[in-house]
Amino acid sequence: DDRRRAGRISGSEIWTDTVEVVGDVTVMAGARLSLRSGTVVLFGADRLRGGADPERTELVVQWELSVNSAGGQTVHLTSAATRPQPGDWQGISLYQVSRVFLRQAVIEYAVEGLAGRGLNRPLELQDVVVRHSPGDGIRLEGVEEPVTLTDLQVHQAGGKGAHIEGKGLVEVSFAHLSDNRGGGLERVGGFLEC
């Protein structure tokens, strides 16, 4: 069974065990990607040389991403390198209509752990750790709908721990943002409820 992935997902796909991303993966409009409890996703060099950075792989979500929805063991999205370095892979890129739910997940060594613009669907992160990003740990711009961050940790980002701008409500419960060069949480243009 080939555990390597690259290209488009146009239906419903479930990842389990260990998966190696060898080229950009795009969850197309109308499609869904689910990562089950305990899944390890290793992001290597971009063999297809596409996307935002032809050197780095990324996970592009144009529709729906569900990570560890039932809970259980932590899901890891990390570098495939033997000696991981900040910025080994691009990160998770969200499109305007992305529907995203992450629970008990670690995102590490991405340029930006989670990034998106013009988001018009709710986004929920529960017990998520983002670390070792040379950019912002989380960068969301033009947020129109609620963003819920519960038990969020962002550590050792080269930029801000989390930068969120737009009019959508941002709810934060039990966040720990530390050792981020640009500061912890920056909220621009909307409400923040803690």
Side-chain angles (χ1 to χ4, degrees), residues 92-140:
I92 301 172
S93 300
L94 308 177
Y95 272 58
Q96 184 176 8
V97 294
S98 299
R99 183 176 303 165
V100 178
F101 175 81
L102 280 78
R103 174 186 286 145
Q104 286 178 270
V106 174
I107 303 169
E108 57 188 358
Y109 302 110
V111 172
E112 288 183 327
L114 193 64
R117 289 177 171 260
L119 303 177
N120 63 10
R121 300 273 177 126
L123 171 73
E124 186 171 355
L125 308 181
Q126 293 180 7
D127 193 15
V128 172
V129 177
V130 180
R131 59 187 177 209
H132 308 301
S133 294
D136 295 331
I138 296 172
R139 182 169 195 81
L140 304 174

Side-chain angles (χ1 to χ4, degrees), residues 6-22:
R8 298 177 176 179
I9 295 172
S10 55
S12 183
E13 193 164 313
I14 297 171
W15 291 0
T16 60
D17 302 318
T18 300
V19 175
E20 183 181 3
V21 175
V22 297

Side-chain angles (χ1 to χ4, degrees), residues 105-177:
V106 174
I107 303 169
E108 57 188 358
Y109 302 110
V111 172
E112 288 183 327
L114 193 64
R117 289 177 171 260
L119 303 177
N120 63 10
R121 300 273 177 126
L123 171 73
E124 186 171 355
L125 308 181
Q126 293 180 7
D127 193 15
V128 172
V129 177
V130 180
R131 59 187 177 209
H132 308 301
S133 294
D136 295 331
I138 296 172
R139 182 169 195 81
L140 304 174
E141 300 172 334
V143 173
E144 300 285 327
E145 291 294 325
V147 174
T148 305
L149 308 172
T150 306
D151 293 324
L152 173 69
Q153 297 181 49
V154 183
H155 308 291
Q156 298 175 334
K160 294 178 177 43
H163 170 89
I164 304 171
E165 64 180 76
K167 63 183 181 180
L169 174 66
V170 176
E171 298 175 83
V172 181
S173 300
F174 308 109
H176 184 144
L177 297 93

